[in-house]
Amino acid sequence: MPKQIAEQHRNNDLIIIKEKRPIVFEEDNIEKDGKHIYLSVKFPLFDPQGNIYGTAGISTDITRMKNLENELFTRSAQWQAAFDAMLDCLVFLEPDGTIRQCNKACVEFLGLELKDIIGEKCYRLFHKTEHHIEECPLVKAKKSGEQETMEMVVDGKNIIVLVDPIKNEKEQITGYVHIVRDITEQRSI
């Protein structure tokens, strides 16, 4: 075992002795196939008089889990970067129209802060109403179970709205993708 790792393990043992209680640590170890990460529960051992005479521990190799966690973080960061790089306003909606996530283009389109968007109903922010508008593509998508679109004018901008259901493995709708594209320039040509 390399000196640095041995010192890490020893320091953890000293913490156990000082604290006089079980503590959970993540500990590294070098093995034939490379670095491994262990979740270790370490605890003091007491003699009959209540004095600590040593430490013990139980360790579980969590290397695969940590690697998957790192991979998930990396992919999540990549996905978020791509999501935010889109020029169209993109929103993920709950089935009732509550906004659960949106990209930077949506924040700019609405002129609000992210915290003022998440958790709001789409019709309140996009149409400034207390209910879905007539011909709402979300309402139509709920009925058809398919992608629906609509062109409209909002705040002087010509926009096209596309709503696409998100389905789980059982083909049940769990939410919707709501895309808003400003087509004002195309309409003025």
Side-chain angles (χ1 to χ4, degrees):
M1 180 179 297
K3 182 179 179 180
Q4 182 180 2
I5 290 177
E7 286 175 358
Q8 174 199 24
H9 287 244
R10 177 68 179 145
N11 289 338
N12 290 345
D13 290 342
L14 293 173
I15 292 170
I16 298 299
I17 292 168
K18 179 182 177 190
E19 296 282 328
K20 298 182 181 180
R21 64 181 178 88
I23 299 179
V24 178
F25 299 97
E26 280 189 17
E27 296 182 312
D28 298 335
N29 202 15
I30 301 297
E31 299 183 12
K32 289 179 184 176
D33 60 344
K35 178 183 168 184
H36 283 249
I37 303 167
Y38 287 87
L39 186 65
S40 299
V41 179
K42 293 190 163 191
F43 47 91
L45 299 173
F46 297 95
D47 66 18
Q49 291 75 38
N51 300 312
I52 296 176
Y53 68 89
T55 62
I58 301 168
S59 297
T60 303
D61 190 340
I62 60 168
T63 306
R64 185 169 184 270
M65 182 187 76
K66 294 301 276 186
N67 289 342
L68 290 172
E69 194 176 272
N70 289 336
E71 178 69 20
L72 181 61
F73 178 81
T74 299
R75 288 182 187 223
S76 176
Q78 290 169 340
W79 184 89
Q80 188 65 49
F83 184 60
D84 283 335
M86 293 178 188
L87 299 176
D88 291 335
C89 169
L90 195 135
V91 177
F92 289 111
L93 300 173
E94 297 291 340
D96 69 352
T98 302
I99 298 171
R100 82 169 94 134
Q101 189 174 8
C102 70
N103 66 352
K104 286 181 181 178
C106 184
V107 171
E108 291 170 11
F109 180 85
L110 292 171
L112 298 170
E113 292 186 35
L114 183 63
K115 68 178 181 58
D116 297 322
I117 298 172
I118 304 302
E120 273 295 330
K121 300 291 187 198
C122 58
Y123 47 81
R124 285 191 189 125
L125 298 183
F126 286 96
H127 308 295
K128 319 264 187 296
T129 64
E130 287 303 312
H131 51 82
H132 294 287
I133 63 169
E134 192 174 325
E135 298 299 312
C136 172
L138 174 59
V139 173
K140 290 167 67 175
K142 284 181 178 183
K143 289 178 184 171
S144 71
E146 301 295 327
Q147 183 183 90
E148 298 287 345
T149 61
M150 177 182 190
E151 284 192 39
M152 65 182 76
V153 176
V154 176
D155 295 332
K157 297 176 184 175
N158 290 312
I159 62 169
I160 187 164
V161 178
L162 178 142
V163 176
D164 208 2
I166 300 169
K167 298 178 182 180
N168 66 15
E169 67 278 356
K170 295 178 183 175
E171 292 296 309
Q172 298 166 323
I173 295 174
T174 60
Y176 296 87
V177 176
H178 181 280
I179 301 171
V180 176
R181 177 172 289 169
D182 185 345
I183 56 171
T184 305
E185 284 186 31
Q186 290 93 327
R187 289 288 182 250
S188 66
I189 295 175

